[in-house]
Each structure stands twice: as C-alpha cells, then as structure tokens.
Amino acid sequence: MAETAEETDNAWWTKPTFIISAIAVVLLIGTGIILFTFLGNNEETDAAPPAQPQTSAPTATAAESVTGGSICGLNATGGTTMTTAPENVEWEFLGGIAAPKSAEHGPGLVDEQTGVRSCYSHTPEGALLAVTGMLAASGDTELLMETTRALVLEGPGKQRTIDSLEDRLKSGNTSSVPIEVAGFRLLSYSPERATVEVVLAADSSEGKIYQTTASDVVWSDGDWHFNLDTDGSGGPIDGQITDLSGYVPWGPVSG
C-alpha cells in the first residue's frame, strides 16, 4: 500500500475517488457508499495504512449511552478485536449493492416507509454491519439520504452531506454499476466508538479493482451513529488498493 492518504474534501460516501477505466466510483459512506458516474478520469489513488481514529467528541444533541444493549434489544457481547468474519450473515440487495443482516448483530429495525436499516449490536461486529449497511445504501440515493438523516450525528458535516445528496437527486446523476463488499478490518474499537474499514470490489477488463474506505462510528442512544467532521469527512482512510492482503475476506460471495 502507499504511504500517503488521499485528502477528503467531504463525506467519503459523496465524493469521486474510485476509478474503473472511464468509470469513477463516487463514494457516498460512514462511514459505507457508492454510486458510479462517467467522469472520463482514469487516475488511481492508494489507501493509507491504518491511522488513528478521530478523538474529537461527537456533536450529538442527546447524551450518549455507552453501556447495555441496543434500542431493539440486541444484547450480543464481544471483545475489542475482530479477526474473523461474523457468522450467520445473510445478504440482500439495496439498489445494486448487497447489505448484510444478522439476527445477532442487526439491523434489528427496518423502517417500512424509508427503508432505513438501524439498531446494531454494541460489538465490533455490530459496528461493521452498521458501516457496511451505510455503504450498501448508496445503491439507492434516496435511501442513502434517509439513512444519513437517521444515523449521522448532528453537525455541519451532516448537513453538507445531505445537501450533496439532494443535488445529486435533482441532477438525476444516480446511475450505478455492479459492486460488492469484499473485505474489512477493524482499525480500533472501544465501547464508545469504533473505526471500521470496508473494502468494496468491482470488475474491470483487467480483473477486480478494490476501493477501501474507513468510517468512524459512535455509540449513542443505543445504536451506532456516524461521526462526521465539519467538512463532511468521516474516516482516516480512503483510496484504492491492489488486493485483499491484510484484510478479512467478507461479502456476499465469501460469507
């Protein structure tokens, strides 16, 4: 991997970074999230090695609760590391991207009107599924916007992301191509917050191309929420990698 990180100008799920030939993957995440637009750009960027997560306090309006189970009663327990993929995970498509679901780790709630998936276990596995669920929501821009409204902590970064998604909907720039979750690694974990890196893959004429991005999530009011900086950035890593070395393989294909 390269030794320098790509600068993030706004939320990792709303900025163009992932290039496949003439197709740029526009990450839309918290934290998880991708749309594809034709930009005629074939630059390539490398992801940085693991970095320390943000330490600034989240701008939540409600007091944080860092003990106990989730708001929907998921009481799974776990450690502070995760070197193997969660077991008994099912995958279902949200738009063009498959999202994970686990009876043990969530999502325990799916809003019937908006489709927003929420309520994840207070564990590393729950944090992973929350971040990956946000990424998968990018297969549907309206779903992504509603998920951002529901699961991103209040602040300028959240509003900037919502404004960007609203502009995308108005422009009709929501075309997509197949992409899938391919792996992950847990960069840090505590009961209060976690930083999760997820790798996504797409096919090109030369084989698989991998994009990795990390997201900071905070345990607040019985669920994992995304913590964005003022500029909308949400994690320490964002870029292209050559293979899955150093990552735990995980996705609709691997399980």
Side-chain angles (χ1 to χ4, degrees):
M1 294 184 187
E3 297 182 357
T4 59
E6 179 180 349
E7 295 294 329
T8 53
D9 293 328
N10 52 19
W12 52 266
W13 57 76
T14 60
K15 70 189 191 66
T17 56
F18 184 21
I19 312 303
I20 303 177
S21 300
I23 301 176
V25 179
V26 180
L27 290 182
L28 298 176
I29 182 133
T31 222
I33 302 182
I34 301 179
L35 293 176
F36 291 78
T37 56
F38 292 92
L39 299 181
N41 186 343
N42 57 9
E43 296 176 358
E44 180 175 307
T45 55
D46 292 328
Q52 293 298 317
Q54 296 164 277
T55 57
S56 57
T59 54
T61 55
E64 287 188 23
S65 173
V66 296
T67 60
S70 64
I71 55 175
C72 61
L74 296 180
N75 293 313
T77 59
T80 59
T81 61
M82 184 171 47
T83 57
T84 59
E87 297 180 350
N88 302 318
V89 172
E90 299 178 355
W91 295 83
E92 58 182 342
F93 281 90
L94 307 181
I97 306 173
K101 183 175 183 179
S102 163
E104 184 178 10
H105 298 293
L109 297 173
V110 179
D111 190 290
E112 293 183 358
Q113 293 185 329
T114 64
V116 171
R117 300 155 69 90
S118 63
C119 187
Y120 294 88
S121 68
H122 195 184
T123 63
E125 290 82 2
L128 170 64
L129 266 68
V131 171
T132 309
M134 177 68 91
L135 280 165
S138 67
D140 181 325
T141 305
E142 289 189 14
L143 173 60
L144 177 59
M145 184 163 63
E146 294 299 334
T147 304
T148 300
R149 294 184 191 278
L151 296 183
V152 174
L153 294 174
E154 295 298 330
K158 176 178 181 176
Q159 189 57 52
R160 178 172 180 172
T161 300
I162 291 173
D163 291 344
S164 176
L165 292 171
E166 288 178 341
D167 289 343
R168 186 173 300 280
L169 285 170
K170 291 176 182 178
S171 69
N173 187 13
T174 58
S175 59
S176 63
V177 299
I179 194 163
E180 64 185 27
V181 176
F184 73 90
R185 61 181 174 182
L186 182 68
L187 299 185
S188 68
Y189 183 84
S190 73
E192 295 84 9
R193 63 179 63 234
T195 301
V196 182
E197 183 181 0
V198 176
V199 180
L200 302 115
D203 291 319
S204 73
S205 59
E206 299 178 355
K208 291 284 186 182
I209 294 181
Y210 298 100
Q211 170 74 20
T212 184
T213 189
S215 181
D216 296 328
V217 289
V218 172
W219 186 258
S220 177
D221 295 332
D223 202 0
W224 290 109
H225 291 76
F226 294 82
N227 187 29
L228 302 184
D229 279 348
T230 300
D231 65 355
S233 59
I237 293 176
D238 180 19
Q240 193 168 320
I241 58 176
T242 56
D243 56 45
L244 293 175
S245 299
Y247 297 89
V248 180
W250 184 60
V253 176
S254 58

